[in-house]
Amino acid sequence: RFGNSQDLQIYVASSNNQNYIDAIANGITNIRADILVLARLNSDKFAKFTAGGSSELYFAGNKKFETASAGVIVTGNIDFTGNLGAGDNKIIKLGNQADLQIYHDGNFNFIVNDNSKNLAIQAKVGENAIVTIPNGEVQLYHNNSKKFETTSTGVTVTGNLFSTGKV
């Protein structure tokens, strides 16, 4: 027990054989170090905190989450039990050069594709629904079979063309 009122206690509870550090008094408990590592005795890290630098979280000794000057770095998958949210004009950037961007500007939804890459919207993995070719055609598919595409002179339809009104 430490302090005038013995309000900081470090002990082992014999009832459950667990170690405790208790700050009994109201207030803030500080652990000060340039580098603080929480780990199993002689084994895997749980967390590492570096003064003026990164904070790291580990799973089974493998780093999974790290703060960085530009944001955070996640190793592995992110599984959501809720929603992924972002405000208007906040862009989700994917690819090494942010080749694909998805965002909402308050009025419209945007999928922005680097103009040197094709964009495919699939009904399921490997089954195209819409494909856009940079500086080229837009293709529409039914059951992964191309039925409609734009061309430099108009459109090409594969199959029958039906109209419910005047053509």
Side-chain angles (χ1 to χ4, degrees):
R1 297 174 188 240
F2 300 91
N4 292 336
S5 302
Q6 297 186 347
D7 48 3
L8 177 63
Q9 301 176 8
I10 300 174
Y11 62 96
V12 176
S14 58
S15 62
N16 60 10
N17 200 31
Q18 293 186 23
N19 302 315
Y20 291 91
I21 299 174
D22 290 341
I24 305 301
N26 293 332
I28 298 171
T29 301
N30 293 291
I31 299 173
R32 298 179 187 194
D34 287 336
I35 298 175
L36 175 63
V37 177
L38 302 175
R40 292 181 61 194
L41 187 60
N42 300 318
S43 189
D44 298 338
K45 292 179 190 174
F46 301 133
K48 178 181 177 183
F49 307 98
T50 304
S54 67
S55 296
E56 303 169 359
L57 298 177
Y58 292 77
F59 179 82
N62 297 302
K63 186 172 20 174
K64 296 297 180 179
F65 185 88
E66 177 180 5
T67 61
S69 60
V72 297
I73 300 166
V74 177
T75 302
N77 297 326
I78 300 175
D79 295 323
F80 292 97
T81 57
N83 297 319
L84 171 63
D88 291 348
N89 295 306
K90 302 298 181 197
I91 301 172
I92 298 171
K93 297 179 180 182
L94 303 170
N96 290 337
Q97 282 74 43
D99 307 31
L100 177 64
Q101 300 179 6
I102 303 170
Y103 68 98
H104 176 76
D105 73 354
N107 295 308
F108 295 96
N109 300 311
F110 293 90
I111 298 174
V112 180
N113 184 41
D114 177 294
N115 65 8
S116 66
K117 311 261 184 332
N118 294 355
L119 174 66
I121 298 174
Q122 297 184 329
K124 61 183 180 181
V125 175
E127 185 174 302
N128 289 330
I130 302 170
V131 175
T132 65
I133 310 296
N135 301 313
E137 70 263 18
V138 173
Q139 304 168 348
L140 302 179
Y141 290 77
H142 175 77
N143 198 24
N144 207 36
S145 176
K146 185 172 29 173
K147 298 299 179 183
F148 183 94
E149 72 178 292
T150 61
T151 67
S152 60
T153 58
V155 298
T156 300
V157 176
T158 303
N160 298 320
L161 179 62
F162 297 98
S163 173
T164 58
K166 294 182 180 179
V167 181

